[in-house]
Amino acid sequence: MAEKHVKLLILGSGPAGYTAAIYAGRASLNPVIIAGMQLGGQITTTSFVENYPGFPEEIGGTELVGKMQEQAERFGAEIVYDTAVRVDFSKRPFSCTLDSGDVYTCDVMIIATGASARTLGAPGEDDLRGKGVSYCATCDGFFYRNKKVAVIGGGNAAVEEALYLSNLAQEVFLIHRRDSFRAEKIQQDRLFNNPKIKITRDTVVERFLGTPDGAGLTGLALKNVKTAETSELLIDGAFVAIGYLPNTDIFKGQLELDNAGFIVTEPGLPFTSVKGVFAAGDVQDARYQQVITAAAGGCRAAIEAEKYISLSE
């Protein structure tokens, strides 16, 4: 077990973490990034990105975040391929224990651990992720113009995804395991009055159909929870919209979290409930969860971290 002290420690290797490292590196803070379990974050599960400025042609999610990593390393960021399992903000310097047993202490920490989309856990889902199975209509909806898609869920997120996709797709099927929806009434009214959306109630997805190495997703195997009747729905894309889980377990009791587990920050700012600890990206953003907003958050966190360090020295 080794122990090392650094000025700035960044937890997370997605767009927020890498952008923070780019800005911090240019400020000569020599940031260290703890990569985490998913190198590159959620964007690596997206086949193509078309809405990130500067890339007029589509770019793979993994390729895009790879360029961010190269840029961060160019400015001196060090990447540690390990996972944070424990933090201590009760005393200074802050400390972070890694899965390997190594301990990093730091003057300032930026948390960019992201959030993970809730999955259904149905057979075929993991194999077809990014090959017809998506968790973000804003990210991937463009690829399904004039095609048939399904949205799975019954809350605000699912209804919003279905409404958004109705502007792109030929036909949208909304599949919900209950009879009633949890979305706000105004959203439900829009949903029920949209002729392009077909609603299937009391139904669950039993299997995602398709071939990962071939055509990708081709359909869904469905089951009615009341009648046990089974059926198949042929579609081109499926959007799972049952919410996100912020990766904040190790911060419980250390930072203020909201009811959903996201880190609470000041509106529009990266400040958390502990001075010297900043948060950026999906770990504190339950609303937008886009690559560009995560990168913007990383920028804000790094700028504030640099100011905090300058005032402390």
Side-chain angles (χ1 to χ4, degrees):
M1 183 181 76
E3 183 170 324
K4 182 177 180 180
H5 181 78
V6 297
K7 279 187 177 181
L8 173 61
L9 191 66
I10 300 171
L11 304 188
S13 58
Y18 282 139
T19 303
I22 291 167
Y23 275 78
R26 294 180 74 250
S28 300
L29 295 182
N30 301 313
V32 172
I33 301 172
I34 308 302
M37 294 183 66
Q38 186 176 14
L39 182 64
Q42 278 198 89
I43 191 61
T44 60
T45 67
T46 299
S47 298
F48 298 105
V49 178
E50 289 190 324
N51 55 1
Y52 195 80
F55 295 90
E57 302 296 330
E58 63 187 28
I59 182 172
T62 300
E63 183 183 359
L64 176 59
V65 80
K67 290 180 179 294
M68 294 180 183
Q69 177 179 342
E70 290 177 19
Q71 194 171 359
E73 290 180 309
R74 174 191 167 198
F75 290 114
E78 177 188 347
I79 301 173
V80 177
Y81 297 95
D82 207 335
T83 303
V85 295
R86 188 167 59 256
V87 295
D88 186 355
F89 299 145
S90 65
K91 59 182 183 297
R92 298 174 189 273
F94 305 131
S95 68
C96 176
T97 303
L98 307 184
D99 186 55
S100 63
D102 291 345
V103 176
Y104 278 80
T105 59
C106 61
D107 299 320
V108 174
M109 184 181 295
I110 294 176
I111 299 170
T113 49
S116 303
R118 293 180 185 268
T119 63
L120 291 177
E125 182 177 8
D126 287 341
D127 293 337
L128 293 165
R129 183 190 294 244
K131 300 173 182 177
V133 176
S134 174
Y135 300 86
C136 177
T138 308
C139 308
D140 300 330
F142 179 83
F143 303 110
Y144 298 93
R145 280 185 176 274
N146 302 316
K147 295 184 178 182
K148 294 183 178 181
V149 300
V151 176
I152 303 153
N156 280 325
V159 173
E160 287 173 6
E161 299 257 289
L163 290 169
Y164 175 83
L165 289 166
S166 71
N167 296 316
L168 301 170
Q170 173 188 337
E171 201 169 16
V172 179
F173 298 89
L174 181 58
I175 300 165
H176 184 34
R177 61 194 177 98
R178 294 193 175 94
D179 179 65
S180 59
F181 288 85
R182 292 174 287 109
E184 296 172 357
K185 187 179 185 303
I186 189 171
Q187 291 290 72
Q188 292 189 47
D189 290 342
R190 291 170 180 162
L191 174 72
F192 300 147
N193 291 320
N194 191 311
K196 292 181 69 175
I197 301 174
K198 293 178 171 57
I199 300 171
T200 303
R201 305 169 191 264
D202 300 320
T203 298
V204 295
V205 175
E206 289 213 304
R207 178 179 293 274
F208 291 83
L209 307 174
T211 51
D213 300 324
L217 180 78
T218 57
L220 301 174
L222 306 176
K223 181 180 179 180
N224 187 290
V225 295
K226 290 184 176 178
T227 66
E229 179 182 355
T230 59
S231 62
E232 288 188 5
L233 176 64
L234 299 181
I235 52 170
D236 302 295
F239 292 81
V240 179
I242 55 176
Y244 286 83
L245 290 172
N247 300 319
T248 55
D249 282 351
I250 65 171
F251 308 117
K252 292 178 180 176
Q254 300 273 344
L255 294 174
E256 182 183 357
L257 308 178
D258 68 15
N259 291 335
F262 289 89
I263 295 175
V264 174
T265 56
E266 295 183 27
L269 297 169
F271 302 111
T272 72
S273 57
V274 174
K275 290 183 178 180
V277 177
F278 304 90
D282 291 358
V283 74
Q284 53 81 227
D285 175 18
R287 185 177 181 88
Y288 295 106
Q289 298 180 326
Q290 299 295 301
V291 181
I292 193 167
T293 53
C299 164
R300 287 192 293 266
I303 290 174
E304 296 299 344
E306 192 276 332
K307 289 180 180 177
Y308 183 88
I309 290 172
S310 295
L311 292 173
S312 300
E313 290 180 341

